[in-house]
Amino acid sequence: MHSNGDIFVGEVIGTAILILFGAGVCAAVTLKHSKARASGWIVIAFGWGFGVLAGAYTAAPLSGGHLNPAVTVGIAIDTGDWDQVWVYLCGQMVGAMLGAALAYVVYLAQFNANVGSTGEGAPDDDGPLPTLGIFSTIPEIRNPVANLLTEVVATIALVLPILAFGLTKGLGESGTTALIVSLLVVGIGLSLGGPTGYAINPARDLGPRIVHQLLPIPNKGTSDWGYALVPVVGPLIGGALAGVIYNAAF
């Protein structure tokens, strides 16, 4: 069993790496004056997948590399052990906020250039860009019920295979579990990410949304707190249901 200190440190570091890669690729694709601007959804999906890969492998020796409250809840329902859940969740939230802040630092010049003018008072060709989507998810069609269902189903598609991977002895022995999970996240992004942007992780959405609210980003627009419950509640429900399904079926 991991100690509380190791869990907290591992989840902070691993989740920070995850969000640094994820928010970083969203910034790269979104912001003006980025060399990767407009490179598309496939780039974003793989960027998030590589973030999972790097974060999970880094955190694994310390905490097991959950990096996601939905995963932590699913595992707790499977094992019945809730004693350290709060430590995982605290580490994940701190890490998510740290990773978002680091992504902002990396793209600071691009964020500051998102001012909607050339410096002479004339507007840019396409004006300032909204920045919330770099940090958190935004639904393409705002329908709370449909958005919630999307997040629930997509999170089940994440957590249930993760729990089942534990039954595949060869994965654990080979050390490739995190690699397989990262490919799973890429697949979820490509297949199920279109409606809501696939939060599938409450800390991944809420932590960066808080950072977006706090940062002095020019023309940053709203942090959309009216939608913020959906990418928190949906993944938690999905993670819990995945734990229940796993216990019932395996």
Side-chain angles (χ1 to χ4, degrees), residues 132 135 207-217 220-225:
L132 178 61
F135 294 87
R209 195 181 298 270
I210 293 171
V211 170
H212 180 266
Q213 177 72 48
L214 296 175
L215 285 174
I217 303 171
K220 67 180 176 181
T222 177
S223 297
D224 197 8
W225 290 105

Side-chain angles (χ1 to χ4, degrees), residues 35-157:
K35 293 182 181 294
R37 188 183 178 195
S39 51
W41 187 251
I42 293 176
V43 172
I44 289 175
F46 273 94
W48 278 103
F50 291 140
V52 171
L53 181 69
Y57 271 126
T58 303
L62 291 172
S63 66
H66 293 190
L67 315 186
N68 183 342
V71 172
T72 300
V73 167
I75 292 172
I77 288 176
D78 172 41
T79 63
D81 184 2
W82 292 84
D83 290 347
Q84 295 178 305
V85 167
W86 68 274
V87 185
Y88 277 97
L89 268 56
C90 289
Q92 290 155 4
M93 278 298 299
V94 172
M97 295 177 69
L98 176 60
L102 289 173
Y104 168 73
V105 170
V106 170
Y107 283 91
L108 180 61
Q110 282 72 27
F111 278 111
N112 287 340
N114 186 39
V115 295
S117 72
T118 63
E120 303 295 331
D124 281 341
D125 291 340
D126 50 3
L129 298 166
T131 57
L132 178 61
I134 294 169
F135 294 87
S136 296
T137 59
I138 303 169
E140 284 299 299
I141 298 175
R142 191 171 294 264
N143 182 317
V145 174
N147 302 150
L148 184 70
L149 289 173
T150 296
E151 289 294 334
V152 169
V153 172
T155 307
I156 292 172

Side-chain angles (χ1 to χ4, degrees), residues 12 15-21 23-24 94-104 208:
V12 168
T15 309
I17 291 172
L18 164 63
I19 302 302
L20 174 61
F21 276 51
V94 172
M97 295 177 69
L98 176 60
L102 289 173
Y104 168 73

Side-chain angles (χ1 to χ4, degrees), residues 1-26:
M1 178 179 289
H2 304 289
S3 71
N4 285 350
D6 283 349
I7 289 171
F8 182 78
V9 171
E11 292 297 297
V12 168
I13 294 173
T15 309
I17 291 172
L18 164 63
I19 302 302
L20 174 61
F21 276 51
V25 74
C26 289

